[in-house]
Amino acid sequence: MLHIYCPYCEEMREEEEFSYSGEAHIARPTDPESLTDAQWGDYVFFRTNPRGLHHEMWNHAAGCRRYFNATRNTQTYEIHETYKMGEQPTVTGGKP
Amino acid sequence: MTNMHSPLHHIEVPASVAAAGVVMREDKYRGHLNLRGNPQDEAFTSAVAKTLGVALPTTPNSSAENGTTRVYWLCPNEWLLLVAEGTQGQVEADLRAALADQHIAITDLSSGQTLVNLSGANIDELMLKSAVYDCHPSNFPVSKVVQTTFAKTGAVIYKCADGSFDLVIRRSFSDYFFLWVADASEEYGLQVV
């Protein structure tokens, strides 16, 4: 079981209370009309699947029901940080 | 009101146990109101405090109390108000009047959930095996509120001053909840009052 820090409840909670919600920081296109089908398909369907650090969204489903972001290592399952929506990660592994 | 049935009205009460380690009591027909609003907005917080007679708690997992009115922190902009039986309609109307032109939401959940008090000498053991959250006294001081799961079903758990726990559970899960409590407290003895 993972032990996850909820940035809104401000304490560690059991994984059972959370649900995973996919990749974080996907910007919605400001002008969807001008996108090609390939660009729109990329926005809607395609997600990164890195080996290592991954910025992803979690939902505290059984708790405060808020979405937040987490930086997790997909190889070791180590969660380096969790942070609120709208904030930027501090652990980036050298990448922006 | 003669046709009202509380969510746990149907349970079969086990024979009274002389030394019951767990005592369950349903706090029937309490008014449950869900309130949402912006805690950074002074107009919102002061109007609610004036109407309820108690300030909204803004610290995570905390609560506030004033007589029969209890306020639970649920998330940074959401609270659960537990008010005396039959007063929820008036409280809702008062809040709507006080918050007339503000961006808020009030939802009456009274018939959708119920309040159950669990007490007894073995209550800490029962919580230990039922909830994934650490309900040990060292981690769960009096008046703390935690939204978590209790035997897989969602629950809002509150620690009372006497060491017992108040759980807000959904009506549709009340039967499951009771069957779990009856099974889990078999080794201690269960008394339903």
Side-chain angles (χ1 to χ4, degrees), chain A residues 8-14 16-17 62-66, chain B residues 60-61 73-75 77-78 132-133 144 146-149:
Chain A
Y8 295 100
C9 294
E10 296 180 6
E11 53 178 25
M12 304 295 284
R13 297 293 186 91
E14 286 291 329
E16 183 181 310
E17 296 182 16
C64 59
R65 304 197 302 284
R66 284 275 183 133
Chain B
N61 310 309
W73 181 96
L74 295 183
C75 93
N77 60 5
E78 185 175 4
V132 291
Y133 190 77
K144 186 172 184 174
V146 171
Q147 276 193 100
T148 180
T149 54

Side-chain angles (χ1 to χ4, degrees), chain A residues 22-84:
Chain A
E23 188 182 345
H25 305 299
I26 298 172
R28 186 178 175 83
T30 49
D31 186 13
E33 301 289 329
S34 67
L35 293 189
T36 64
D37 283 355
Q39 286 171 318
W40 184 250
D42 189 51
Y43 163 67
V44 175
F45 299 111
F46 289 90
R47 298 291 177 260
T48 59
N49 184 22
R51 184 178 182 182
L53 286 185
H54 188 222
H55 302 296
E56 54 199 20
M57 292 190 294
W58 285 76
N59 182 9
H60 195 184
C64 59
R65 304 197 302 284
R66 284 275 183 133
Y67 283 88
F68 61 90
N69 298 312
T71 305
R72 182 175 64 93
N73 188 312
T74 58
Q75 277 179 290
T76 63
Y77 272 83
E78 182 186 357
I79 294 177
H80 295 277
E81 60 174 346
T82 58
Y83 50 101
K84 294 177 181 177

